[in-house]
Amino acid sequence: MNRISALTVAGALAAVALAAGCSSAASKNAPGSQGSTTSVGSTSASDTTGTAGATGTPGSPTSSTPANPGSTTSSAPASSPGAAPTHAAGTKCTATEMPSGTWKLVEGGNGAGHVAADIALQNTSTHSCTVAGYPAISMLASDEHPLPTNVVHFPAAVTTLTVAPGGWIHSEIRYSPNVPGPGEPTTGNCEPETVHALAQLPGDSAWAKVTLPDPTTVCEKGTLQAKPFMSGPSSPVGG
């Protein structure tokens, strides 16, 4: 081969190599090829899906509705049928604390055809309670049939009493055992004898049993003049 032919071949090879290099560079810079970057304003997958972990159609909100809308649970303890009621210390006294009482004549309390007696109640509970006001009274015959009873409040200051366990309260009552009122018999008993009685504390709906040591008649249609409750088991001698 002469010198001119050799140079011609070398030049051809160089041209082929240059063309291959240009083709490789163009491939590396082509859009969408490995190493390319996304254009400004593109949206990533995280912009179109809902809350992480949610299922269903991407972008749909998750539901926060409870299984039972509007249902509530109660924290109140269940009460036992027939359980005895309980009362906090310092609340009003009721027949729960004072279930029974006595009816006793006040020594030296007689006057103008009337006698004085105390209806007394004891706190038999283990806590203190309070009383303020007058008793309600119901008189009963020997067969516990209700008798006419008319309680008249004697005007006096009402005091709130705190009654400790074992403590007593009393209301002094006055009535006529033998002076008949209008329309009552003038001979014999003016009314049937009161053998038993019931007393009700202010604000209560239950009744305490009251024991009479001796039956008595209460004239004037069972009229009793009652004073507000006071401390102690009885009134002073003389009423």
Side-chain angles (χ1 to χ4, degrees), residues 182-196:
E184 292 179 328
T186 56
T187 59
N189 290 339
C190 58
E191 294 287 343
E193 286 189 330
T194 298
V195 180
H196 312 283

Side-chain angles (χ1 to χ4, degrees), residues 4 11 20 28 30 34 37 48 55 61 74 100 110 123-124 128 131 137 177-178 195 220 222 232-233 239:
I4 294 173
K28 290 181 180 181
Q34 184 178 4
T37 59
T48 59
T55 59
S74 173
S100 61
N110 299 357
N123 182 1
T124 60
S128 62
V131 175
I137 302 169
N178 50 27
V195 180
E220 301 172 292

